[in-house]
Amino acid sequence: MAKILVTGGCGYIGSHTLVDLIDNGFDVVSADNYYNSAPSVLKGIEKITGKQVKNYAINLCDLAATKQIFQEHKDIVGIIHFAALKAVGESVEKPLLYFQNNLGSLLNILECMKEFNVKNLIFSSSCSAYGNADELPVMENTPFKEAESPYARTKQMGEHILEDFAKKYKDFNCISLRYFNPAGAHESALMGESPTNNASNLVPVITGVASGKRAKITVFGTDYDTRDGSCIRDYIHVMDLANAHTKAMQFAVGGQQAHNSEVFNLGIGAGVSVLEAIHAFEKVNDMKVNYELGPRRAGDVVAIYANYEKAAKLLGWEPKRNIDDIMKTAWEWEKVKDAISAV
Ligand code: WQD
């Protein structure tokens, strides 16, 4: 069984990816300092898979502590590097924190790959790396525009670092996966978005209103040039996203990369507006959500969605779930998440 190190393994996408890797026969180890996650996530993973995952609660900016993992696990063949700060607004307030953390940890991971001869890396990039793209849907070769936030810039820079690393070290494989808007939860409702994450993302806000934790949701902008005036995004179910990591790792470990640096878009290829998302939630869960129409939010792009043909063709990956599945599983998780995380 090939062993994979998953950094940020207790986080939202990392935890779902651990489950998918285990389901697909990989051995796994996690590194997560619980900055925006909780140890209870590991219990959810164990309940779903029957496997106990070892987690190292270290800061990946600490090179010595990071090396220790590789010293203890000489058989790691690949790394999926999720661990990063991801709050767009916070990154504007604390740019240095974002550069230090997101790029410092990436550089340490690359150092360890060289030192311990770990050949395969998958890096969490983001559709925000595109900035305000000129054409939709965006393709992998759509040029990056100006980053709208330091967070987005760390993702652009991370990708560039990997390109240069791969250029120099030809027998190492690097893959950047550009996520669109991840949402939803594991179908078992044993795992979902971290309860410690006081997110302002659309889907957790909708479920928060539905559960009564929030009074209402404000639709940020209804005068955009879109079919109903609200912004359009490509919401991808977290389990589909997780499975893309497994497929990407199989692709890299299996030596199928023609180029040792690759980039893939991961979305479902369809845009959903904010109002459509709210109405999808209302329909599949048969309840009303209290929403109001409000002004635009600073920094929002009008519309973005993916062309994912490259991932379909090279990785054999297809998203299997849609916005309805996202809203159903997000709601099932919302209803139990406090009880689960209190354990
Ligand atoms: C979605 C849409 C809002 C809340 C960010 C990152 C990106 C990625 C995903 C991160 C927008 C609208 C939201 C609300 C609203 N990765 N909205 N009312 O901004 O597309 O992307 O998260 O780690 O990199 O930039 O996601 O969920 O915040 O917003 O109307 O209360 O919902 O304006 O149009 P976003 P989001």
Side-chain angles (χ1 to χ4, degrees):
M1 268 202 298
K3 189 183 279 181
I4 308 299
L5 170 64
V6 176
T7 77
C10 301
Y12 177 40
I13 310 170
S15 57
H16 290 78
T17 299
L18 281 172
V19 167
D20 199 75
L21 286 168
I22 294 168
D23 285 349
N24 283 283
F26 282 98
D27 196 2
V28 294
V29 57
S30 163
D32 191 308
N33 63 355
Y34 306 127
Y35 179 84
N36 190 20
S37 64
S40 59
V41 171
L42 296 166
K43 290 193 193 137
I45 295 172
E46 189 179 347
K47 277 202 185 123
I48 296 167
T49 64
K51 295 254 159 66
Q52 267 186 353
V53 174
K54 163 93 181 150
N55 181 59
Y56 289 82
I58 63 143
N59 184 341
L60 293 153
C61 292
D62 178 344
L63 182 59
T66 306
K67 280 187 182 178
Q68 189 63 34
I69 299 174
F70 293 90
Q71 265 143 9
E72 287 178 28
H73 299 269
K74 295 258 161 56
D75 51 345
I76 290 173
V77 299
I79 303 163
I80 306 182
H81 181 46
F82 290 106
L85 300 177
K86 62 164 188 172
V88 174
E90 183 188 53
S91 78
V92 177
E93 297 308 314
K94 301 175 183 168
L96 296 185
L97 177 71
Y98 272 67
F99 289 116
Q100 255 160 10
N101 188 81
N102 291 5
L103 299 178
S105 61
L106 177 62
L107 293 173
N108 283 349
I109 289 290
L110 292 170
E111 280 297 332
C112 289
M113 284 175 70
K114 267 176 40 197
E115 181 168 338
F116 297 93
N117 204 26
V118 178
K119 298 280 197 227
N120 304 291
L121 173 67
I122 295 172
F123 170 65
S124 300
S125 187
S126 163
C127 67
S128 62
Y130 287 108
N132 271 299
D134 288 334
E135 286 170 24
L136 293 177
V138 286
M139 311 272 291
E140 285 81 357
N141 58 6
T142 300
F144 284 170
K145 301 297 278 293
E146 182 69 17
E148 293 288 315
S149 66
Y151 162 77
R153 205 181 297 277
T154 66
K155 295 300 176 187
Q156 291 181 341
M157 292 170 81
E159 287 198 22
H160 292 315
I161 289 169
L162 293 198
E163 274 164 42
D164 288 345
F165 178 85
K167 229 176 251 170
K168 167 73 185 160
Y169 304 105
K170 294 266 189 270
D171 54 340
F172 287 77
N173 296 317
C174 298
I175 296 179
S176 293
L177 299 179
R178 292 181 187 152
Y179 313 150
F180 282 67
N181 287 52
H186 193 265
E187 278 88 0
S188 64
L190 289 165
M191 212 169 61
E193 197 156 3
S194 164
T196 64
N197 180 359
N198 192 17
S200 56
N201 293 110
L202 181 64
V203 177
V205 172
I206 293 175
T207 58
V209 174
S211 69
K213 284 185 195 143
R214 294 173 189 246
K216 62 177 179 240
I217 170 162
T218 304
V219 177
F220 295 141
T222 50
D223 58 348
Y224 286 106
D225 185 16
T226 60
R227 48 188 177 263
D228 60 20
S230 63
C231 288
I232 289 182
R233 296 288 183 274
D234 185 336
Y235 297 93
I236 175 170
H237 195 284
V238 67
M239 284 308 296
D240 283 331
L241 187 57
N243 182 248
H245 292 75
T246 303
K247 293 248 157 78
M249 191 50 89
Q250 287 164 337
F251 181 71
V253 173
Q256 296 172 55
Q257 274 183 243
H259 309 284
N260 72 327
S261 169
E262 286 282 12
V263 177
F264 294 97
N265 280 342
L266 297 176
I268 71 164
V272 171
S273 76
V274 177
L275 287 165
E276 287 165 352
I278 293 172
H279 293 139
F281 180 93
E282 293 184 324
K283 184 191 75 183
V284 298
N285 297 310
D286 196 20
M287 60 197 293
K288 288 279 166 214
V289 174
N290 185 20
Y291 70 89
E292 65 174 9
L293 306 180
R296 294 181 177 196
R297 176 174 78 174
D300 266 336
V301 299
V302 182
I304 189 157
Y305 51 98
N307 174 312
Y308 71 86
E309 270 170 35
K310 187 177 170 192
K313 198 167 147 220
L314 295 186
L315 305 181
W317 172 82
E318 290 277 350
K320 298 195 179 93
R321 300 158 182 89
N322 61 20
I323 190 75
D324 290 350
D325 302 311
I326 285 174
M327 293 307 184
K328 228 183 184 47
T329 55
W331 179 230
E332 292 308 317
W333 169 243
E334 175 73 39
K335 285 189 279 186
V336 299
K337 71 178 189 186
D338 292 342
I340 285 180
S341 59
V343 177

